[in-house]
Amino acid sequence: MKDSAGEKLFYMFNYCVLFVVGLSCLIPIVYTLSVSFSNADAIRSGLVSLWPIGFSLESYKSLISGTPVIRAFGNSMIITVIGVSLSMVFTILAAYPLSKKYFYYTRFFTLAIVFTMLFSGGIIPTFLLMKGLGLINSYGSIWLVGLVSAYNMLVLKSFLENIPAEIEEAAKIDGCGEFALLIRIILPLSLPVIAALTLFYGVHYWNLFMTVLIYIQNVEMHNLTVMVQQMVNSQSLLIEMNKLDSNEMTDVTPEGIKSAGIMVMILPMILIYPLLQKYFVKGVMIGAIKG
């Protein structure tokens, strides 16, 4: 069946809008990348647009040698890797029993979890709780606050509900217990949604900002996002961190170092997302259609 003229016009309009939106997202990244690889004179004169002028790595050298970017990158890796691992374990342990009809009070616990999506204790009570637990200035506070996302848990629960019960019954007949069933049968069948949720959690933990500022007062424990934000907002701090006087900054500029810091911060997500993009789309659509 051929598309009508109106449908073709509608599709063409959609493509044009999506193309413009895509460019609006891509151009700032390309410009920042160009500034980070351009020499200081080109940046100062405002000649840099979408292509580096006078290719130079001085911004990255100054970023690495004069700022704690390596330490901040390591902190971000620790927060992300351990945080994603803990969140996935507890999300699976929450979603699996709630996906079973024979689990007692399934509806009650599900509604209680959904309630947290609408209402929360607030920042101050949560901070007092973390302080009472002795988790201030500890990554434990960050991991505990965002341990399980109610949305991610419901997505996984919806997926697990669609796994045929006959598979589980056959495994139990063969002597599989609940944990063996979960690890050897359910999880291998759930790899697409697990990959999608891992990406969700990974982006969340990597981009943490306010949570780190609230619970981590030790500057040496700050992650890459906080460090880059401080660089962007404080040029004087940037000059001091690089031990450069404003009159002696001939090889690098604050704008170049800021751009290099931003690229270092977003590079891991740019590299990982294309690998998991198909799982990301599938994870978003899970639960939209049943049957």
Side-chain angles (χ1 to χ4, degrees), residues 191-256:
L191 286 181
V193 67
I194 289 176
L197 298 185
T198 300
L199 178 61
F200 293 165
Y201 278 123
V203 172
H204 165 73
Y205 280 109
W206 185 263
N207 293 327
L208 278 179
F209 177 69
M210 280 302 300
T211 306
V212 176
L213 286 181
I214 292 173
Y215 299 111
I216 306 298
Q217 300 167 0
N218 185 355
V219 178
E220 294 186 354
M221 297 180 65
H222 282 174
N223 61 348
L224 195 58
T225 306
V226 174
M227 193 212 77
V228 170
Q229 186 271 344
Q230 292 173 344
M231 288 172 51
V232 171
N233 285 349
S234 179
Q235 180 169 322
S236 59
L237 175 62
L238 181 63
I239 296 173
E240 181 182 351
M241 292 169 67
N242 284 276
K243 299 179 181 178
L244 295 172
D245 185 83
S246 58
N247 296 323
E248 298 175 354
M249 296 184 67
T250 56
D251 296 330
V252 296
T253 63
E255 290 75 15

Side-chain angles (χ1 to χ4, degrees), residues 11-279:
Y11 294 147
M12 185 179 300
F13 175 77
N14 277 346
Y15 291 145
C16 291
V17 171
L18 292 175
F19 179 75
V20 172
V21 172
L23 280 182
S24 67
C25 296
L26 183 62
I27 288 177
I29 297 177
V30 174
Y31 173 75
T32 303
L33 181 65
S34 299
V35 171
S36 69
F37 282 116
S38 298
N39 62 34
D41 293 333
I43 297 174
R44 291 193 191 97
S45 59
L47 299 176
V48 183
S49 55
L50 299 180
W51 191 257
I53 297 179
F55 185 85
S56 173
L57 295 176
E58 290 300 321
S59 295
Y60 288 93
K61 293 179 181 178
S62 298
L63 177 71
I64 294 173
S65 62
T67 69
V69 64
I70 301 298
R71 184 182 67 207
F73 188 89
N75 293 340
S76 291
M77 288 297 297
I78 292 173
I79 292 172
T80 302
V81 172
I82 298 180
V84 169
S85 301
L86 290 174
S87 292
M88 286 305 304
V89 168
F90 281 92
T91 300
I92 292 171
L93 292 179
Y96 178 68
L98 292 178
S99 65
K100 305 304 175 186
K101 296 180 180 179
Y102 55 79
F103 181 72
Y104 292 109
Y105 304 113
T106 297
R107 179 177 176 81
F108 170 78
F109 286 114
T110 302
L111 292 177
I113 293 173
V114 171
F115 181 83
T116 65
M117 299 176 66
L118 306 175
F119 304 97
S120 65
I123 295 177
I124 295 178
T126 305
F127 178 83
L128 294 176
L129 174 61
M130 294 300 108
K131 185 176 180 180
L133 294 174
L135 294 178
I136 300 299
N137 274 334
S138 168
Y139 292 146
S141 58
I142 296 175
W143 297 325
L144 184 58
V145 168
L147 188 60
V148 176
S149 165
Y151 172 79
N152 291 346
M153 193 281 296
L154 293 175
V155 168
L156 181 56
K157 173 179 175 292
S158 176
F159 181 89
L160 296 179
E161 288 175 341
N162 291 325
I163 294 179
E166 290 78 10
I167 296 177
E168 300 182 25
E169 292 172 359
K172 289 181 179 179
I173 291 175
D174 290 337
C176 251
E178 288 294 344
F179 278 101
L181 175 64
L182 174 63
I183 295 173
R184 298 174 61 182
I185 306 296
I186 301 300
L187 293 185
L189 292 174
S190 307
L191 286 181
V193 67
I194 289 176
L197 298 185
T198 300
L199 178 61
F200 293 165
Y201 278 123
V203 172
H204 165 73
Y205 280 109
W206 185 263
N207 293 327
L208 278 179
F209 177 69
M210 280 302 300
T211 306
V212 176
L213 286 181
I214 292 173
Y215 299 111
I216 306 298
Q217 300 167 0
N218 185 355
V219 178
E220 294 186 354
M221 297 180 65
H222 282 174
N223 61 348
L224 195 58
T225 306
V226 174
M227 193 212 77
V228 170
Q229 186 271 344
Q230 292 173 344
M231 288 172 51
V232 171
N233 285 349
S234 179
Q235 180 169 322
S236 59
L237 175 62
L238 181 63
I239 296 173
E240 181 182 351
M241 292 169 67
N242 284 276
K243 299 179 181 178
L244 295 172
D245 185 83
S246 58
N247 296 323
E248 298 175 354
M249 296 184 67
T250 56
D251 296 330
V252 296
T253 63
E255 290 75 15
I257 301 177
K258 293 174 186 177
S259 299
I262 293 172
M263 292 311 303
V264 170
M265 182 182 70
I266 67 176
L267 183 61
M269 292 297 106
I270 292 179
L271 295 178
I272 292 175
Y273 181 79
L275 302 177
L276 299 177
Q277 191 265 347
K278 61 179 180 179
Y279 299 123

